Every structure is written in structure tokens, then in C-alpha cells.
Amino acid sequence: MSQTPDISQLVRVFGRIGLLSFGGPAAQIGLMHQELVDRARWLKEEEFLGALSFCMLLPGPEAMQLATFCGWKLRGTLGGVIAGALFVLPGAALIFLLAAGYAHYGDVPLVSAAFVGVQAAVVALILQALIKLSRRLLRKRLDIAVATLSFAALYTATLPFPAVILAAGILGFVVPSNEPVKAVVSPHVSRDSATRSSLKAIAIWGTLWAIPVAILVFNGGFLKDVALFFSKLAVVSFGGAYALLAYMVQTVVQDFGWLSTDQMMDALGLAETTPGPLILVTQFVATVSGVFQGGPMMAFAAGLVALWCTFIPCFLWIFAGAPHVSRILSAPRLSQSLNLISTAVVGVIMNLSLWFTINLLFSDVVPTTIGPLPVLNSLDLGASALVAIAITALIALRLPLLVVLVLSACAATLLNLV
């Protein structure tokens, strides 16, 4: 690290990152590398990669947590709070506006038709994520077996999402790995000092997380369910937004009945159009659900609760774990455990991809003991054509995501007018 920036420099750079962070985690991480390593030269290459390795092991949005870690590394806890908040707030403001517009105009026929195109783009997007993750993570027979079993457990509703993640972690801890663990560059911190820092962070950020949740639980009602559900998501959200969305669909649609499957797909599509972490889809879901539960004020309150319960835990994970980065990444059993959790996420995303595709392409879906199965003669040819267009544009032609979203929405609108 060649220099320590002052607070105004930190605000300027991370504010720019927050406003320009479109395109998902890969693009966001690339932008941070360009700003922090190449342009400002505040971090060395190995420091940035060590931070990235640590953040990818945590539940929650890795790009937001990487921003927080880098801010912590540069200016301590205040720097981490500034960096993490600036990465989230621009997108969060836009999500509130998009959710309000969707709740009021989503049922207009032409708007509804356009969202069918957005849903087709979401299917292509999840398929693209599945292909990339499979190539990177499914290297051994054990990896393939864990991904397949995770998919089967979720699709047949044999196990819930948290149980799948827990089982993969336990298996990884028990089964030894022959792969060497790479050492990670990290500043030297004594064990006693690191422990004190972690306990302080747990006390502060754990309290900030717990007190509002406790108040809402005491008051009961819809906001209690929002607080508890999104707090649970914050703990088990390994693998990013695509992985947790499968769990969200199951709970929000089937258990709570807040939204429909189509509305969940619309939520993901609109969240892709904003800067910041894709996990802001949790805020969108809570806000739109709040509109239906109690109107605009309830919607705003639910969105704030979802934001709090999604991102305060991220600060907790980073500030509690950052002093121990080298030790965490150098522990073979822990490393293997977290690797198999990542592998299980491939199965989770397979389940999400199949669920969304079936519900978009077929008007009739029958629940069975082996999971939902489509009625073949209910195939929607228009939706099938839109999915084919989206897959061709995003995966074959490699067009930018925002272009694909606009193209799919326009194609769906024209199809509705024909």
C-alpha cells in the first residue's frame, strides 16, 4: 500500500464506484481493482486478491463486502463503513423508485407484456451464471456429486436451503482435500489484538442488528416476518443473490404468499438495472410486498428493514473476520468446507434456473413428489421465443446485460401488439 487516503479522497473514490457499479459482481470487482489498485494505487495486487478471497468465503454480497474490507484496510472501521455504505446507497435509492413504479404500473397491459421479456432475460442471466460457476467450481467428482445432490434436495423439497448449505459445509470439513491451501498476504496482527477487535465488532454490529429485529418481533405483524426472514437470509446467503433467490422464491411465494413467481422474476430483472449489489433484490421484494400488505408507508418501512437486515450483517462479518484473514484462508478443513458450500451453490442455482424456466414457459405446472412438472401442452410459444432471443443475445452474442433487458422487453411488447 503506497499511501493512506484521507476521508474526502475515500468518499470521492468509493462514491464513484457506487454510482458506476453496474453489471454484477464480476464487473464491480473489476471496477474496484481499476480504481484502488491501478489508478489510486492505494492497495497492492496481492492485498486486493487476499481481500477478495476472504470476501468470497462469506455469506452475503462479495462485491459490497470487498468494498467494505478495502475501506477498512485503508482507514479502519470508519473507512469500511463509508466504503460499504457508498457502494449500496445509490442503488438502494433507485430500488425504492423502481419498486414504487412497479407496484403502481406493473398491471398496465403493455407494462405487463414488457415484463415477460424481462423475465426471459432473467432466465438467460441465471443460465449464464450457472455456466460460469460450473466451469469454475465443478472440477472433481465430489464437486459434481455435491451440486447434483443439492439440486435434487431442493427441487424435490427434501431439504430447505439452509440445510443444504449446512450439509455441504459439514461434508467439506469431514472429507479431506488434497489441494494445497494458498497463503494470503495480510498485515501482521497479533492473535490477542485480533480477538479483541473481533469481539468489539461483534458486540457493536451484533447489537445494531439485533435491537431493531427484537423491537419488530415484539410488535409482531408483517414487519416482524420481514425482519426475521431477511436476517435468516443474511446468515445463509452463500453464493450471492442467485443462490438466495431460490430460497426467497420458496418462502416469499409459497410460505408467506407476499408475491407471485412472476413478480419475483421481475424483481431480479429490475435489480439488475441498478448500480450496487444484486442482493438489493431483497429490498425490492420487501418494498413491493409492503405495498400489498399496507400501502406506501408500510412499503417504505419494509424496504428499510430489508436493507438493515441484509447489510448490517455484512459489516459484522467483515469487521469481525478481517483481523483473522490469513489464519482463516490458511486452514485446510475450513477452506475445503467453504469450497463445498460454493459447489452446493451450483445445485442451488440449477434449481432456481429450472424453476423459473418452467414457470415462464408453461402455463400449467403440476406439483409432484419429485418436484414441479410442466403440462407439456401448456407450452407458451411466445415466451419460448423470447427466452431463445435472450439466450442468444446474452450468451451467444455476449451483448451487455442492460441491452439484453431492453431488447427482451421491446420484443415482448411487440409480440403482445401483434
Side-chain angles (χ1 to χ4, degrees), residues 113-122 124 273 382 385-416:
F115 275 116
V116 176
V118 172
Q119 292 167 16
V122 167
T273 67
L386 291 171
V387 170
I389 291 171
I391 290 174
T392 301
L394 187 66
I395 298 176
L397 300 180
R398 298 183 180 180
L399 296 180
L401 175 59
L402 288 177
V403 173
V404 175
L405 285 167
V406 172
L407 175 66
S408 298
C410 291
T413 304
L414 290 174
L415 189 64
N416 183 70

Side-chain angles (χ1 to χ4, degrees), residues 5 9 26 33 60 84 109 111 133 157 173 195 203 221 230 236 240 257 280 329 350 368 380:
Q9 290 174 310
H33 183 276
V111 176
L133 278 175
F173 193 83
T195 301
F230 288 106
V236 301
L280 282 170
L329 295 178
M350 286 170 60
T368 70
D380 186 331

Side-chain angles (χ1 to χ4, degrees), residues 212-274:
V213 173
I215 293 172
L216 293 172
V217 169
F218 178 78
N219 290 332
F222 170 66
L223 291 180
K224 178 203 76 172
D225 292 335
V226 171
L228 291 178
F229 174 56
F230 288 106
S231 292
K232 186 189 297 184
L233 275 184
V235 176
V236 301
S237 57
F238 293 92
Y242 297 120
L244 72 84
L245 198 65
Y247 182 37
M248 284 179 64
V249 168
Q250 179 184 4
T251 306
V252 170
V253 176
Q254 298 179 0
D255 298 344
F256 289 131
W258 293 340
L259 298 177
S260 68
T261 301
D262 286 346
Q263 288 170 326
M264 290 294 296
M265 295 177 72
D266 293 340
L268 181 60
L270 287 175
E272 287 281 5
T273 67
T274 64

Side-chain angles (χ1 to χ4, degrees), residues 137-150 343:
L137 295 174
L138 303 186
R139 302 185 302 268
K140 300 174 294 186
R141 291 181 179 178
L142 179 61
D143 299 333
I144 296 172
V146 168
T148 303
L149 290 173
S150 299
T343 302

Side-chain angles (χ1 to χ4, degrees), residues 54-408:
F54 169 61
C55 293
M56 292 184 72
L57 300 179
L58 300 173
E62 65 266 30
M64 178 269 177
Q65 290 174 154
L66 177 62
T68 304
F69 186 97
C70 291
W72 172 84
K73 204 167 176 59
L74 293 167
R75 295 289 306 193
T77 300
L78 177 60
V81 171
I82 290 171
L86 289 176
F87 190 78
V88 170
L89 291 178
L94 283 175
I95 285 289
F96 274 125
L97 294 176
L98 288 172
Y102 180 78
H104 285 91
Y105 301 108
D107 290 334
V108 175
L110 280 180
V111 176
S112 298
F115 275 116
V116 176
V118 172
Q119 292 167 16
V122 167
V123 169
L125 181 66
I126 296 174
L127 179 60
Q128 182 189 53
L130 179 61
I131 292 170
K132 288 181 178 179
L133 278 175
S134 298
R135 289 173 177 171
R136 181 164 63 88
L137 295 174
L138 303 186
R139 302 185 302 268
K140 300 174 294 186
R141 291 181 179 178
L142 179 61
D143 299 333
I144 296 172
V146 168
T148 303
L149 290 173
S150 299
F151 164 75
L154 288 169
Y155 197 74
T156 60
T158 304
L159 291 176
F161 176 70
V164 169
I165 295 299
L166 178 63
I170 292 173
L171 180 63
F173 193 83
V174 172
V175 176
S177 173
N178 296 324
E179 295 185 2
V181 178
K182 296 180 180 179
V184 177
V185 175
S186 180
H188 176 73
V189 181
S190 70
R191 188 178 294 271
D192 288 343
S193 175
T195 301
R196 286 194 299 271
S197 296
S198 295
L199 291 175
K200 181 179 178 181
I202 291 169
I204 293 172
W205 293 95
T207 301
L208 285 173
W209 181 9
I211 287 179
V213 173
I215 293 172
L216 293 172
V217 169
F218 178 78
N219 290 332
F222 170 66
L223 291 180
K224 178 203 76 172
D225 292 335
V226 171
L228 291 178
F229 174 56
F230 288 106
S231 292
K232 186 189 297 184
L233 275 184
V235 176
V236 301
S237 57
F238 293 92
Y242 297 120
L244 72 84
L245 198 65
Y247 182 37
M248 284 179 64
V249 168
Q250 179 184 4
T251 306
V252 170
V253 176
Q254 298 179 0
D255 298 344
F256 289 131
W258 293 340
L259 298 177
S260 68
T261 301
D262 286 346
Q263 288 170 326
M264 290 294 296
M265 295 177 72
D266 293 340
L268 181 60
L270 287 175
E272 287 281 5
T273 67
T274 64
L278 181 55
I279 210 168
L280 282 170
V281 67
T282 58
Q283 176 200 353
F284 186 97
V285 168
T287 303
V288 176
S289 299
V291 172
F292 300 140
Q293 293 291 323
M297 293 305 296
M298 180 65 77
F300 185 65
L304 287 179
V305 171
L307 276 175
W308 190 265
C309 294
T310 298
F311 291 105
I312 292 299
C314 294
F315 290 114
L316 171 58
W317 312 145
I318 290 296
F319 296 143
H324 306 275
V325 169
S326 291
R327 283 186 286 274
I328 290 173
L329 295 178
S330 300
R333 286 186 179 273
L334 182 58
S335 179
Q336 170 73 342
S337 179
L338 293 167
N339 283 338
L340 282 192
I341 288 175
S342 298
T343 302
V345 164
V346 176
V348 173
I349 297 176
M350 286 170 60
N351 172 60
L352 174 66
S353 179
L354 187 58
W355 172 283
F356 273 174
T357 303
I358 287 176
N359 279 276
L360 178 61
L361 299 187
F362 297 89
S363 57
D364 294 325
V365 179
V366 180
T368 70
T369 55
I370 61 170
L373 294 177
V375 177
L376 297 181
N377 61 9
S378 69
L379 177 66
D380 186 331
L381 295 178
S384 301
L386 291 171
V387 170
I389 291 171
I391 290 174
T392 301
L394 187 66
I395 298 176
L397 300 180
R398 298 183 180 180
L399 296 180
L401 175 59
L402 288 177
V403 173
V404 175
L405 285 167
V406 172
L407 175 66
S408 298

